[in-house]
Amino acid sequence: MAYLAPSILSADFSELKRQISLIEKGKADYIHVDVMDGAFVPNITFGAPVMKSLLGKTKLPFDVHLMIENPEQRVADFVTENTEFITFHYEATNHSHRLIQQIKSLGVKAGVAINPATPIWMLEDILTDVDMILIMSVNPGFGGQKFIPVAMDKIAELNQVRFEADLNYLIEVDGGVNEKNAAQLVELGTDIIVAGSAIFGAEDITAKTKEFKKLIK
Ligand code: DX5
Ligand code: ZN
């Protein structure tokens, strides 16, 4: 069983509130919030004010994915009553360990994301500290890209390490997830499935959300 976190990156921003009500009806578990700064990744999305405009309008918890440089300077902006996870990129800081403690001290769960080119052994010394590991299965920056298969090996290995070392981190996968690969990703050990274009690009967003929920049950 896994949770579903539709990414609003692929939503129609001109009617964000309504689109979120559609995934709520489909029983999505989280709202995946993709924050891009045009520096860490070659695209700019939105910042904390847009995310905060949803407060009081949805009960869904926020799963914040920061694709930004200097994340330590920004994490506090994303702490709200809806925020459950704040995930930063391992590649964007020299001080992953400190940043994990900083995020936790703000009362939210701390996630670390790695790009397709970053091996999971880089995370070895923070595995006991982190609440979630986000495996990027595309190069971050855009929705609608093709799934990069090496992510499957990383998920399987993280799942095994978690079992062998009796650790508790969650595993999330993000990028190129669709109806064809979602179930396999859960089988390999994924706990949270992110899907952007596959859900918000659908004609019936609620029906598509339900379909994904069934697939990852
Ligand atoms: C990519 C973002 C993803 C993106 C996924 O940089 O982090 O969350 O929205 O979109 P799809 O599911 O379309 O690949
Ligand atoms: Zn994301």
Side-chain angles (χ1 to χ4, degrees):
M1 199 290 251
Y3 298 104
L4 181 65
S7 165
I8 52 169
L9 178 62
S10 296
D12 178 346
F13 292 151
S14 71
E15 55 157 10
L16 197 49
K17 186 176 133 188
R18 199 183 80 82
Q19 298 233 316
I20 282 173
S21 74
L22 297 177
I23 60 166
E24 259 182 342
K25 271 192 208 128
K27 299 267 182 295
D29 299 290
Y30 294 96
I31 298 173
H32 185 78
V33 179
D34 281 314
V35 180
M36 305 186 189
D37 66 353
F40 180 69
V41 287
N43 191 14
I44 299 176
T45 54
F46 49 76
V50 170
M51 185 190 89
K52 286 177 173 165
S53 74
L54 298 169
L55 292 172
K57 303 194 168 81
T58 177
K59 289 203 175 70
L60 289 178
F62 298 156
D63 169 34
V64 180
H65 179 194
L66 298 179
M67 288 159 276
I68 62 173
E69 288 184 355
N70 303 313
E72 38 285 293
Q73 293 173 13
R74 293 271 93 84
V75 283
D77 298 349
F78 291 90
V79 178
T80 70
E81 65 258 35
N82 284 42
T83 309
E84 182 162 335
F85 295 101
I86 296 182
T87 297
F88 65 89
H89 266 264
Y90 176 82
E91 302 87 356
T93 178
N94 290 323
H95 299 287
S96 292
H97 187 276
R98 177 186 288 149
L99 185 49
I100 290 165
Q101 312 312 323
Q102 186 187 343
I103 293 170
K104 286 180 167 177
S105 76
L106 293 167
V108 296
K109 294 176 187 157
V112 61
I114 52 169
N115 286 334
T118 303
I120 55 170
W121 55 258
M122 302 293 276
L123 305 177
E124 191 175 327
D125 292 344
I126 52 173
L127 288 180
T128 51
D129 299 282
V130 79
D131 295 305
M132 178 167 79
I133 297 170
L134 194 178
I135 298 299
M136 286 305 303
S137 39
V138 298
N139 286 294
F142 305 94
Q145 302 181 80
K146 199 167 162 258
F147 187 89
I148 299 173
V150 70
M152 299 238 181
D153 304 333
K154 290 179 177 177
I155 291 163
E157 206 174 323
L158 278 174
N159 189 39
Q160 185 162 351
V161 169
R162 172 167 65 179
F163 175 73
E164 284 168 4
D166 199 16
L167 294 169
N168 296 313
Y169 53 78
L170 297 173
I171 302 171
E172 180 173 46
V173 65
D174 183 9
V177 176
N178 56 38
E179 301 86 332
K180 291 194 188 90
N181 57 20
Q184 192 186 354
L185 290 164
V186 176
E187 240 165 73
L188 291 170
T190 306
D191 303 288
I192 304 178
I193 295 276
V194 178
S197 51
I199 289 182
F200 286 104
E203 219 158 276
D204 185 335
I205 293 172
T206 302
K208 191 54 83 175
T209 306
K210 284 184 184 157
E211 184 185 337
F212 265 90
K213 283 285 290 184
K214 222 184 217 167
L215 282 168
I216 67 177
K217 213 161 61 189

